Amino acid sequence: MQFGGRRKKNSINPQSELYGQHLQFYGQPPLENISLSEFETFAVERLKLLKTVENLGVSHVKLTDLYISKLEKELKKSQSGPTEYEKRRKDHISHFILRLAYCQTEDLRRWFIQQEVDLFRFRFNDLDPKQQLEFLHKNNLRYDTVSFPKENTWHISKTDALDLVRLRKVYLKQGYAYIPHQDIVTIVLNDFRTRLSKALALTARSLPAVHSDERLQPLLNHLSHAYVGQDYSIQKNVGKISLDQIDSLSGKSFPLCMRQLHQSLRENHHLRHGGRMQYGLFLKGIGLSLEQALQFWKMEFIRGKVDADKFDKAYAYSIRHMFGKEGKRTDYTPYSCMKVILSNPPSQGDHHGCPFRHSDPELLKQKLQVYKVSPSGINQILELVKGMHYQLACQKYFELTHNIEDSSFSLNHPNQYFLESQKLLGGGKDIKREMDAPQRSQENAASKGSTATQEVAANTSQHLAEMTEDLDSFFQDA
């Protein structure tokens, strides 16, 4: 894959034969030139699709009618393109882009493989038997499928037929393997999983060469931690949350990560720099103004070991910097779930991070008991944590603490949790309406075909800005 100017509309793709079906093993990497803008857009759209596959796979039994209908709906949204050829081309290229981003660690590889296998399973089952057979033969898997009707309809001997039924063995004839349909799906999925696992290992070896391209390294690192939803720093509700409300809101509408930070701050009158960054940007996102933030942190810190003069000298600058009033005047965004989970893990004495990812299961269980989560609910959460579905565990916590059966959203951001909670409790109508305004304007632009690139460019620019000027240097403890 190479990067250059805009692709010519009439150019011929030498790999056009790969797009005869909407399903492939991704054995051949893309060879055409694509622009960086297209690279970014394709990557983010596939990442959104894989996150949807993950959420549906945990929330519903896979391949049930409900699961299939919801995934079909999401696929229709993601498979945009003027022609079937363009849709398949985007599928091919976007898969390989995410390979580069998700081959970097074992956790990333495991997550990527599982979502791609689930997506492949859905697409394979969506093919009719003739198309499945064509796909297998095209990929040199010389299989055919058989059912188990009455024995006199078999085109093999009676003895062989009975052995196949009883022992579930494959029947070989003239280079073909005849396998029951339910078994062929398992075999094909295992084949795809094995191929993809080996491919990711090979891709990881090539990363030093890829990272030598300074255009790609920050982008690929960003994708593996990417948040692809609403930007919660863009809002008009500044000042609509009073300082007196924070204690009450923390118990009703804060996600567990922020609830734990707030509780620790109240108890210790101090948070280390990681906690201040995570919690401070969250409070900014829910509506605290700069003046309120300075007052909030100062009031709490002077109750501990920091006097007013020391706070003004050591901490006030960093809060103004967070709001884009110092330094490069970057308007820093609240942390997404992916950033909380995957970056800057807490060490001893820290209280930031994701409780579902970074807490010992027994300590997490005790915390949930204190917050009056039912025993059965705790078990459900711990099962999700065991399966490394940390965002889904948080979403289950939301459902249990708000007494609802099924939340109607996919949780990706602590500030999203707060807004959905306030919306449900009836206290966030104004906040929800005004914070949705930027999102509605983006959706209107999408209808004109321009939003995807703009959104990716904005996310990438924000990420690069945060990389070049790290807030950590302003949050060092005195």
Side-chain angles (χ1 to χ4, degrees):
M1 199 185 317
Q2 307 221 356
F3 311 100
R6 188 178 297 275
R7 191 171 57 97
K8 296 180 180 179
K9 291 184 178 179
N10 296 325
S11 63
I12 298 176
N13 184 350
Q15 296 181 302
S16 298
E17 70 277 1
L18 290 175
Y19 309 143
Q21 287 187 324
H22 75 282
L23 183 68
Q24 59 169 299
F25 273 138
Y26 306 105
Q28 300 181 38
L31 300 177
E32 63 177 291
N33 291 333
I34 66 170
S35 67
L36 278 172
S37 173
E38 200 171 33
F39 182 98
E40 294 170 338
T41 303
F42 283 10
V44 168
E45 290 184 2
R46 191 174 193 93
L47 184 56
K48 286 181 178 179
L49 174 60
L50 294 186
K51 287 184 179 296
T52 298
V53 170
E54 177 190 29
N55 288 338
L56 291 177
V58 176
S59 303
H60 306 282
V61 178
K62 294 176 183 177
L63 301 183
T64 59
D65 290 343
L66 182 60
Y67 172 89
I68 290 171
S69 65
K70 285 181 175 288
L71 189 49
E72 282 177 344
K73 183 178 179 181
E74 294 299 327
L75 281 172
K76 287 179 181 178
K77 292 180 185 177
S78 67
Q79 292 178 333
S80 59
T83 65
E84 194 65 32
Y85 171 88
E86 287 294 334
K87 294 177 185 178
R88 294 173 184 179
R89 171 180 169 270
K90 182 170 76 171
D91 174 75
H92 180 219
I93 294 173
S94 64
H95 170 88
F96 276 90
I97 294 172
L98 288 198
R99 272 194 193 181
L100 291 171
Y102 279 80
C103 70
Q104 301 182 56
T105 69
E106 182 60 34
D107 284 346
L108 291 175
R109 288 192 291 271
R110 187 185 302 114
W111 182 88
F112 179 70
I113 289 172
Q114 184 58 57
Q115 309 328 313
E116 286 285 347
V117 167
D118 285 346
L119 179 59
F120 183 93
R121 178 195 289 112
F122 172 82
R123 287 173 166 171
F124 185 79
N125 283 325
D126 196 44
L127 299 175
D128 63 43
K130 182 180 178 181
Q131 290 173 321
Q132 288 180 342
L133 186 60
E134 289 175 354
F135 174 80
L136 296 175
H137 289 186
K138 183 178 179 181
N139 288 278
N140 296 317
L141 297 174
R142 298 174 66 81
Y143 302 144
D144 200 349
T145 60
V146 297
S147 57
F148 291 124
K150 295 180 181 178
E151 61 185 52
N152 60 7
T153 64
W154 284 73
H155 297 291
I156 55 177
S157 70
K158 179 180 178 181
T159 302
D160 288 337
L162 292 175
D163 285 345
L164 183 59
V165 174
R166 186 174 66 253
L167 301 176
R168 308 282 287 181
K169 293 288 182 66
V170 173
Y171 176 69
L172 301 175
K173 184 178 180 181
Q174 296 179 348
Y176 283 84
Y178 291 82
I179 305 169
H181 181 265
Q182 61 268 32
D183 293 344
I184 195 94
V185 175
T186 301
I187 290 172
V188 173
L189 287 175
N190 287 339
D191 195 321
F192 178 66
R193 185 187 294 272
T194 300
R195 291 176 188 230
L196 185 53
S197 179
K198 291 179 179 178
L200 286 172
L202 291 173
T203 305
R205 295 177 194 172
S206 68
L207 275 183
V210 175
H211 283 173
S212 66
D213 188 330
E214 61 185 21
R215 300 170 300 171
L216 294 183
Q217 182 178 4
L219 177 59
L220 293 174
N221 289 338
H222 171 56
L223 281 172
S224 63
H225 297 68
Y227 167 66
V228 291
Q230 182 178 340
D231 180 354
Y232 289 93
S233 69
I234 305 173
Q235 34 86 7
K236 299 179 181 179
N237 61 304
V238 173
K240 291 194 175 181
I241 300 295
S242 71
L243 297 184
D244 293 338
Q245 290 178 287
I246 294 179
D247 284 330
S248 174
L249 289 171
S250 70
K252 295 187 300 183
S253 294
F254 281 16
L256 190 57
C257 58
M258 302 304 170
R259 189 174 182 178
Q260 130 179 322
L261 282 166
H262 181 76
Q263 182 178 347
S264 177
L265 177 62
R266 289 303 198 205
E267 291 175 354
N268 303 313
H269 312 300
H270 188 271
L271 284 176
R272 296 173 69 175
H273 71 275
R276 293 198 296 275
M277 287 177 67
Q278 183 175 321
Y279 190 41
L281 289 170
F282 170 80
L283 292 175
K284 173 190 173 187
I286 69 172
L288 239 59
S289 67
L290 172 57
E291 292 73 21
Q292 287 176 309
L294 286 167
Q295 183 182 355
F296 172 77
W297 290 103
K298 186 172 185 176
M299 286 174 58
E300 197 59 49
F301 272 45
I302 62 177
R303 292 175 181 170
K305 298 179 180 179
V306 177
D307 60 34
D309 184 59
K310 182 177 181 180
F311 179 89
D312 291 338
K313 291 179 179 178
Y315 300 100
Y317 179 91
S318 61
I319 296 171
R320 293 195 299 273
H321 187 278
M322 187 193 303
F323 278 78
K325 302 301 181 183
E326 301 287 357
K328 290 188 176 181
R329 301 186 181 276
T330 301
D331 185 20
Y332 289 94
T333 59
Y335 288 0
S336 68
C337 292
M338 288 295 287
K339 185 162 187 175
V340 171
I341 290 169
L342 294 175
S343 63
N344 190 25
S347 57
Q348 188 174 2
D350 287 328
H351 298 278
H352 66 275
C354 171
F356 303 103
R357 169 65 179 88
H358 299 118
S359 293
D360 177 83
E362 189 58 37
L363 293 177
L364 175 61
K365 180 179 179 179
Q366 294 174 16
K367 187 168 297 183
L368 294 172
Q369 289 171 339
V370 170
Y371 292 153
K372 296 181 169 51
V373 178
S374 67
S376 62
I378 291 175
N379 289 335
Q380 292 178 64
I381 289 173
L382 292 179
E383 279 299 311
L384 290 168
V385 169
K386 185 178 179 181
M388 296 186 294
H389 302 295
Y390 308 117
Q391 290 166 244
L392 293 170
C394 189
Q395 188 156 340
K396 176 57 65 175
Y397 172 77
F398 179 97
E399 293 168 356
L400 293 167
T401 54
H402 289 78
N403 295 315
I404 59 173
E405 289 293 328
D406 184 19
S407 51
S408 58
F409 62 93
S410 295
L411 183 62
N412 292 298
H413 202 292
N415 290 79
Q416 178 195 13
Y417 183 110
F418 174 80
L419 286 177
E420 293 292 345
S421 173
Q422 285 289 287
K423 180 181 175 183
L424 194 64
L425 297 174
K429 294 180 181 178
D430 293 336
I431 295 173
K432 179 66 178 175
R433 180 168 59 252
E434 295 185 5
M435 290 192 73
D436 277 349
Q439 187 76 351
R440 284 197 299 272
S441 65
Q442 289 179 353
E443 290 169 356
N444 290 336
S447 66
K448 301 176 183 177
S450 63
T451 294
T453 301
Q454 294 171 353
E455 181 182 330
V456 174
N459 286 345
T460 304
S461 298
Q462 174 67 34
H463 173 70
L464 294 176
E466 292 181 2
M467 288 178 62
T468 57
E469 187 169 350
D470 191 350
L471 273 175
D472 282 6
S473 62
F474 300 104
F475 280 96
Q476 298 301 320
D477 291 322

